[in-house]
Structure formats: C-alpha cells, structure tokens
Amino acid sequence: MDSLTQAALGAAIGGTVLGRRLGRKAVLIGAALGTLPDLDVVIDYGDAVANVTQHRGFSHSLFVLAGLAALLAGLSARFAKARDISPGRWLAFFGLCLLTHPLLDALTTYGTQIWWPLDLRPTAYPLVFIIDPFYSLPLLATVLIALFSGRIGATRWGLALSCLYLVLSLGARTLIEQRVEPVLAENGLEDAPRLIQPTPFNILLWRVSVAEADRYHETLVGVFDGDRRPRLEHFSRGSEWETVVQDDASGRRLDWFAGPFLRYEVDESREPATLVATDLRLGFPGFHAFHFALAERTDDGWRPLAAPYQLEPRRRDSEAALRRLGTRILSTEPRLCVGQFVEPRWRLSTSATC
C-alpha cells in the first residue's frame, strides 16, 4: 500500500495499544513505525530491475521486523520504566506497528518478500489495490480525530472498519474465484498460473489474468454480475523473446519477481533495437507501469544491458478508462473488454462482446 496508508495504519495501532498510556505520542510513534519499512526506496541497488525487485525486501522481512520490534521493546522497557508499561505491552506495540506493514503489502499485487532472506518468490494475495480510499479513509479520519481532539479511542474504530473492509474483499474475491473457475476449466486452464486482483480503487470489479507459455488471458468479473458468465480474451505474450533474457541475471530476476506474467517485445524505434519486458500484473491492461529495457541488438545477436533501465509508460487517456471501469462496476451492459485498451498487435482474439 501507499506510505500514507501505512503510516495511518501504524498510527491507529499505536493509539489502540498504548493510547491510554502515551496519548498522542502513541499515535505519532505508531505512524513513524508504520512507514519505516518503506524507507528502503532511498537505496539504489544499481539498476532499474534491481531497484524494483529488491523493494519490499529485507526491510519488509517478518524476521527482521520481529527482531527490531523485540529490540525496541527491550530498550523501552529498560529506559521508560516511569511509564509503567509492561515489556509485553511494549512488544505488542512495536510488533504490531511494524509487522502489519509487510502483511498489508502482501495483500496487494506487487508482492512482498516477507520471508527474506529465504529464497522464495514475493508473497502476494491481492485483496486491495495498491491505493484504495475505502480502506485508507477510515484510518486517516480516526487518526486525525485522535490527534486534533485527543479522543485516542477513535483509532479503534478506524482499525475495525479497515479490517472489515479486508474481510469484505476476501468474500468478494472468493465469489469471483467461484464464478471464473468453470470458465477456466472449459478452456483447459484450471491448472494454469492465475492472478485475481481488484481493479483500481474498489473491490467490486476484479481482473482475472491467466498465463500460458506463449500467451495470456484476461477477463473482468464483477460482484454484481449475477449469472453473467465471464468471457476470456486472449493476448500474445511475446514468449519467443523470453529465452534471450533468461540467459541474463536481470531477466532471471524479473522472472523470479513476476513469474509468467511478463510480456516481451522488440522496440525497433530505438537505436539499436531494444528488447523490452513488461510486468503484466501491475497497472491495468494498456496502462502497465513497469517496462524494462533488458538487451540490445548487435551484429552478433542480442547483448544484455549492463544496467537495465525503466521506460516511461506510453501516455494514454487513463481518466476515460477509469470512467468506463467505474460504469462497469455496477452494470454488465455494455460488456467492457480489456482488449479495447490493449494495442491491436497483442490481441489474439477480438470480439465486440469479448
């Protein structure tokens, strides 16, 4: 999630756990602890691929943060005895403020290395979009009430409402999974890697992505779709270029980070021609945020770039797309096809009704 939401979550937890003892200080310290893991963004790991894939790494590790929480709790219990706060309460304060950060991040699509330093793929079980005002606003509102009015207990309501929102999102996701499962089975995709995530700023309309070796499939499924069956759209993944980047450390790192949800293309507009990988998970079809230049064409074939770099996304009318998504949330007619936002060269099947 965004750092403002993480700070609000930490502040709400701080006020709930130690608000009676520390007052506004508990809220402010909780806010600082809640955003602390995101300070890893100031670290330059050497190139664009490393910076993106190392983010939410060691600073989001449950092992690291649990150790830090224990250290801070021990120091506080030793040097703040006048506060009459037990070591267990200090541990709950620091532990909850720190550990909820990576756990919330793991509920977004980006993925979080909560088990670092173990060599495991980032954990991602998307329940919320990376920015979701319906999750964030209750936290922010009650934290502001606590800070400006002194009613620290208001933070409990913010926590309760935000947790309820996650429960509702889990229910919505479960419903979407049940609706899409028969469609995937009919297409022989029941065992294929899939990603189910909410569309921007809501939990009522969900994007389902399914990857195969040489192509991927997309569909939008809404909570209010009723008996309307999802229809898959089919797109090329440019997998013929995948073997080129798999021989390079940056290409393998991206594969570790995004799995099969990568698309490859040759950008002939650059001199020399450049091989580009796009992370299909993040953003929205036609509006993907992460494009990486990985190799360039030479007379002897492809040469991996010593320092892969990130390309700026193509400018598109994102506001119009968001308006159409907003309309689709509450209505299945007219059916909205994600292929309408994707460049024609990637489409393997086109239809007015997906």
Side-chain angles (χ1 to χ4, degrees):
M1 297 291 284
D2 60 284
S3 293
L4 179 60
T5 299
Q6 293 285 13
L9 175 60
I13 291 173
T16 299
V17 177
L18 281 184
R20 290 184 178 179
R21 300 293 181 86
L22 300 181
R24 290 182 176 90
K25 290 182 180 179
V27 177
L28 294 174
I29 296 172
L33 292 170
T35 196
L36 181 64
D38 276 343
L39 293 182
D40 69 330
V41 297
V42 304
I43 302 174
D44 184 0
Y45 291 97
D47 61 67
V49 170
N51 287 338
V52 168
T53 60
Q54 299 266 18
H55 176 48
R56 296 190 182 180
F58 76 93
S59 68
H60 287 61
S61 167
L62 296 181
F63 302 123
V64 171
L65 293 178
L68 178 59
L71 174 62
L72 293 174
L75 292 173
S76 298
R78 180 177 179 84
F79 296 106
K81 294 181 179 180
R83 296 289 184 179
D84 192 27
I85 300 172
S86 69
R89 181 59 66 91
W90 280 119
L91 184 60
F93 175 73
F94 289 111
L96 289 173
C97 287
L98 288 170
L99 294 174
T100 51
H101 181 120
L103 293 176
L104 179 59
D105 275 348
L107 300 181
T108 66
T109 306
Y110 193 98
T112 309
Q113 299 170 52
I114 59 176
W115 306 117
W116 186 95
L118 301 180
D119 188 21
L120 300 173
R121 289 183 184 269
T123 300
Y125 188 81
L127 289 183
V128 285
F129 193 67
I130 195 168
I131 298 175
D132 191 324
F134 296 101
Y135 177 84
S136 304
L137 287 178
L139 290 170
L140 288 170
T142 54
V143 165
L144 291 175
I145 291 172
L147 289 175
F148 288 102
S149 73
R151 296 167 56 189
I152 308 300
T155 57
R156 298 178 182 177
W157 287 102
L159 277 179
L161 290 172
S162 63
C163 290
L164 176 60
Y165 189 76
L166 292 180
V167 172
L168 293 175
S169 181
L170 177 60
R173 180 189 167 107
T174 303
L175 176 64
I176 300 305
E177 289 177 328
Q178 293 173 348
R179 287 180 177 171
V180 80
E181 194 70 46
V183 177
L184 298 183
E186 290 174 3
N187 288 270
L189 298 171
E190 60 269 30
D191 297 323
R194 73 184 69 167
L195 176 63
I196 301 175
Q197 60 177 310
T199 55
F201 317 132
N202 77 101
I203 57 171
L204 298 177
L205 182 64
W206 294 69
R207 173 189 168 205
V208 180
S209 308
V210 184
E212 289 190 277
D214 59 345
R215 58 182 183 166
Y216 67 101
H217 318 271
E218 298 268 4
T219 188
L220 293 175
V221 188
V223 170
F224 299 121
D225 283 2
D227 295 332
R228 189 72 179 269
R229 287 175 61 81
R231 296 183 184 177
L232 294 178
E233 300 174 72
H234 315 287
F235 304 93
S236 171
R237 207 169 65 82
S239 58
E240 63 269 23
W241 303 109
E242 191 168 17
T243 55
V244 175
V245 300
Q246 288 298 316
D247 293 332
D248 177 63
S250 294
R252 293 192 296 272
R253 180 72 180 180
L254 267 183
D255 179 75
W256 170 84
F257 179 65
F261 296 99
L262 288 169
R263 186 181 68 198
Y264 302 93
E265 63 181 305
V266 176
D267 188 347
E268 299 284 358
S269 67
R270 297 180 178 273
E271 183 60 40
T274 303
L275 185 57
V276 177
T278 296
D279 190 331
L280 297 169
R281 305 169 305 152
L282 306 176
F284 188 78
F287 300 90
H288 297 299
F290 292 97
H291 310 269
F292 301 97
L294 299 179
E296 60 184 14
R297 184 185 289 153
T298 67
D299 293 337
D300 299 323
W302 289 97
R303 180 178 63 193
L305 293 175
Y309 56 91
Q310 188 173 342
L311 303 177
E312 288 293 326
R314 296 181 179 89
R315 292 189 177 274
R316 305 284 302 278
D317 189 356
S318 58
E319 291 185 7
L322 285 174
R323 286 195 297 269
R324 296 186 65 185
L325 280 174
T327 301
R328 171 64 179 82
I329 289 174
L330 299 176
S331 174
T332 61
E333 297 293 348
R335 183 182 289 272
L336 181 62
C337 308
V338 298
Q340 297 171 12
F341 305 110
V342 178
E343 295 179 44
R345 61 195 176 104
W346 296 112
R347 303 175 196 161
L348 296 179
S349 66
T350 57
S351 168
T353 57
C354 308

